[in-house]
């Protein structure tokens, strides 16, 4: 696997045409049972597995901070906001594309989407071959936040960081019903424990299956490379 942390500049110069894969996450609350680094861990794990099966890909260090203002009602959340994230991604892309033939952001936090769309759309307008892709699997619908889906993934990736005895249901209504109150008061306004969904019943086996499905979908999207003209997203 080509990890930029292990390469020299001559390795990059002498290698094949490179696509730089950049995980993007968020440091934010994930209920009382999951670590603040959950989104980063998932995005990095997916990106690492995708890079491992394609020698033309290079893994970059993750961008850990994202736009997570909706979670700031909970201690531990660190959000840099949309404008700062957008600028960071644009400048990262401008620099990386001086040597990388392509650039793809692998996103692990839904709150980053607006910034990703704007940043990657601008990079493409400037003539850089950039795109982004979510950590999702087609046809798999899961909890919105810190529920069964993310808990299962973390049980597969880092079981020692999951406090299963603290896992409890949060707000389980459909996200569309929660959004008006969330826009006004953040996640804390609809879920005192910070969970949108129900993590009970999560398991490592389910997490491994989800991770395989997500990795397969992301790898296929990067291989196909057909960014949507409006969103700059690689479609599944």
């Amino acid at each position: 696997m080509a990890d930029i942390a292990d390469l020299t500049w001559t390795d990059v110069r002498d290698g094949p045409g490179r696509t730089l894969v950049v995980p993007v996450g968020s440091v934010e609350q994930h209920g009382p049972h999951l670590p603040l680094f959950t989104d980063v861990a998932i995005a990095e794990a997916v990106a690492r597995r995708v890079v491992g099966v394609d020698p033309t890909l290079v893994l970059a260090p993750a961008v850990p901070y994202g736009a997570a203002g909706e979670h700031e009602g909970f201690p531990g959340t660190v959000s840099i906001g949309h404008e700062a994230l957008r600028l960071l991604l644009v400048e990262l892309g401008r620099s990386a594309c001086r040597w990388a033939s392509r650039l793809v952001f692998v996103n692990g936090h839904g709150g980053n989407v607006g910034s990703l769309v704007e940043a990657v759309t601008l990079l493409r307008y400037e003539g850089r071959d950039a795109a982004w892709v979510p950590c999702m699997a087609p046809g798999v619908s899961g909890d919105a936040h810190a529920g069964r889906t993310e808990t299962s993934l973390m049980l597969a990736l880092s079981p020692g960081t999951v406090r299963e005895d603290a896992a409890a249901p949060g707000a389980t209504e459909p996200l569309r019903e929660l959004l008006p109150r969330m826009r006004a008061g953040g996640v804390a306004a609809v879920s005192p424990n910070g969970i949108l969904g129900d993590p009970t019943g999560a398991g490592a086996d389910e997490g491994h299956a989800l991770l395989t499905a997500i990795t397969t979908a992301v790898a296929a999207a990067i291989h196909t490379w057909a960014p949507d003209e409006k969103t700059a997203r690689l479609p599944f």
Side-chain angles (χ1 to χ4, degrees):
M1 182 189 72
D3 187 330
I4 203 169
D6 301 323
L7 301 177
T8 68
W9 72 267
T10 54
D11 293 331
V12 177
R13 179 196 63 190
D14 298 337
R18 299 290 195 181
T19 296
L20 187 65
V21 180
V22 184
V24 184
S26 177
V27 177
E28 64 185 47
Q29 71 83 22
H30 274 77
H33 67 298
L34 292 181
L36 297 161
F37 218 57
T38 292
D39 288 344
V40 185
I42 293 171
E44 191 169 39
V46 170
R48 187 172 294 278
R49 283 161 173 76
V50 169
V51 169
V53 298
D54 188 337
T56 69
L57 305 180
V58 176
L59 179 67
V63 176
Y65 298 111
E70 68 274 19
H71 295 286
E72 287 183 321
F74 299 88
T77 298
V78 181
S79 172
I80 62 173
H82 286 288
E83 289 302 315
L85 179 60
R86 174 185 177 277
L87 179 60
L88 186 157
L89 298 175
V90 167
E91 293 302 332
L92 187 158
R94 286 170 173 165
S95 180
C97 286
R98 291 181 180 274
W99 59 268
S101 56
R102 287 175 171 171
L103 168 72
V104 60
F105 296 105
V106 177
N107 181 47
H109 171 54
N112 294 340
V113 169
S115 300
L116 281 160
V117 171
E118 292 182 9
V120 181
T121 298
L122 176 59
L123 290 169
R124 295 189 64 78
Y125 175 79
E126 293 175 345
R128 297 169 175 89
D129 200 0
W132 71 277
V133 64
C135 290
M136 295 173 57
V140 177
S141 59
D143 303 83
H145 182 74
R148 179 166 178 154
T149 301
E150 287 187 313
T151 303
S152 293
L153 284 166
M154 290 305 291
L155 284 169
L157 292 172
S158 184
T161 66
V162 180
R163 304 180 185 184
E164 293 185 76
D165 58 341
T172 56
E173 300 93 327
L175 187 58
R176 64 180 179 277
E177 296 179 11
L178 299 172
L179 279 175
R181 284 182 289 157
M182 284 177 54
R183 290 192 181 102
V187 173
V190 301
S191 176
N193 68 0
I195 299 170
L196 304 178
D198 184 356
T200 59
D205 288 345
E206 182 175 340
H208 285 296
L210 284 167
L211 186 60
T212 297
I214 294 169
T215 300
T216 299
V218 171
I222 293 174
H223 178 75
T224 302
W225 200 267
D228 183 271
E229 292 184 5
K230 294 183 178 180
T231 66
R233 170 180 162 171
L234 295 177
F236 296 140

